[in-house]
Amino acid sequence: MIIGETIFDILYLLTVITIGIKMLKNSPYKSQYWLFGLLAVILGFGDVFHLVPRVYALWNGGTAAYPTALGFGKAVTSVTMTIFYVMLYHVWEMRYSVKNCKNIKSVIYILAAVRIILCLFPQNNWLSADAPLSWGIYRNIPFALLGMVIIILYYRKAKEYSDKEFSYMWLAILLSFGFYIPVVLFADAVPAVGALMLPKTCAYVWSVFMGYSAMKNSVHSKVDIVK
């Protein structure tokens, strides 16, 4: 299992970061695909802080021996994942030429801000092996709401524009939360539940591949023609 998880984590980080860099290099500055590349890079480098210490811990006595490094990595990932969804919202705006959505944008930014602020509270005890479950729930409530809004936005617009490239973006996000929430709630009591982080990670890779595929097919994209 140690070998399998190590290979999985390394391949995930290399894949996401490499795709992100390719999208940044091959897309016009500040275009939707450039922004998607940036969010992929942020996703990958954010997870580096969690996965690299985890891989090291697995090969050197187990994760229980490194609560500080792993806790810090989880804190960084919690913030970068929030930024990921804010940027995914802006990709949605650009892709579908959405204008004058101040109310939606306000909701996105408020939920993201609340999530990040909650992550910064010392009560989270990020660096401790006994981080409280209650604060894990508190900080993930606005995060789940943020994800729900993004899911609805992508589902509606992809259907409205018959957007084949992003037709399942909403599903990838839904699956990522579907696998993540049980880990937050039950992983401490039932460690085996933590294995759900693997399919959760696969859902993120899927979303990144959708963006990369859309970039390569952008000449034939119906959304781009509409724009």
Side-chain angles (χ1 to χ4, degrees):
M1 289 186 64
I2 292 176
I3 295 174
E5 182 173 342
T6 299
I7 294 173
F8 178 87
D9 290 344
I10 292 174
L11 286 177
Y12 159 68
L13 292 175
L14 290 176
T15 299
V16 170
I17 293 173
T18 300
I19 289 176
I21 292 173
K22 282 187 175 181
M23 294 184 74
L24 286 172
K25 290 177 64 177
N26 297 325
S27 304
Y29 180 60
K30 290 188 177 181
S31 67
Q32 61 164 299
Y33 299 121
W34 184 92
L35 186 60
F36 205 104
L38 182 60
L39 69 85
V41 170
I42 289 174
L43 172 68
F45 277 107
D47 283 345
V48 163
F49 285 90
H50 172 57
L51 295 180
V52 170
R54 180 173 175 81
V55 168
Y56 179 85
L58 289 173
W59 289 91
N60 294 274
T63 57
Y66 302 91
T68 301
L70 293 175
F72 178 75
K74 289 180 181 179
V76 172
T77 300
S78 295
V79 173
T80 55
M81 283 306 309
T82 308
I83 296 172
F84 171 89
Y85 281 108
V86 172
M87 296 177 69
L88 197 58
Y89 164 76
H90 285 293
V91 170
W92 174 85
E93 275 190 325
M94 297 173 69
R95 184 168 184 82
Y96 302 110
S97 297
V98 178
K99 306 293 184 181
N100 301 319
C101 281
K102 292 183 179 179
N103 291 337
I104 296 176
K105 185 180 293 186
S106 296
V107 169
I108 294 294
Y109 273 86
I110 289 171
L111 289 172
V114 171
R115 155 76 166 180
I116 292 174
I117 291 170
L118 287 174
C119 286
L120 297 178
F121 271 67
Q123 288 87 344
N124 287 285
N125 286 336
W126 287 109
L127 307 184
S128 170
D130 300 316
L133 173 61
S134 58
W135 275 86
I137 295 173
Y138 298 155
R139 66 178 179 262
N140 278 296
I141 290 175
F143 187 52
L145 292 174
L146 175 62
M148 187 183 304
V149 174
I150 298 295
I151 289 167
I152 293 171
L153 293 177
Y154 270 94
Y155 176 80
R156 289 181 173 177
K157 283 298 182 181
K159 186 176 181 180
E160 177 184 343
Y161 282 90
S162 298
D163 185 3
K164 293 182 179 179
E165 282 95 354
F166 276 30
S167 60
Y168 292 112
M169 183 64 72
W170 68 273
L171 181 58
I173 301 167
L174 179 63
L175 288 173
S176 70
F177 277 96
F179 292 124
Y180 175 66
I181 291 174
V183 174
V184 172
L185 296 176
F186 307 117
D188 289 340
V190 186
V193 175
L196 291 176
M197 292 299 284
L198 297 181
K200 174 241 181 190
T201 301
C202 290
Y204 279 115
V205 174
W206 184 24
S207 67
V208 170
F209 266 110
M210 277 189 267
Y212 182 62
S213 177
M215 181 195 73
K216 293 197 298 182
N217 298 327
S218 60
V219 174
H220 307 291
S221 171
K222 184 175 180 179
V223 174
D224 287 338
I225 292 172
V226 170
K227 291 175 65 177

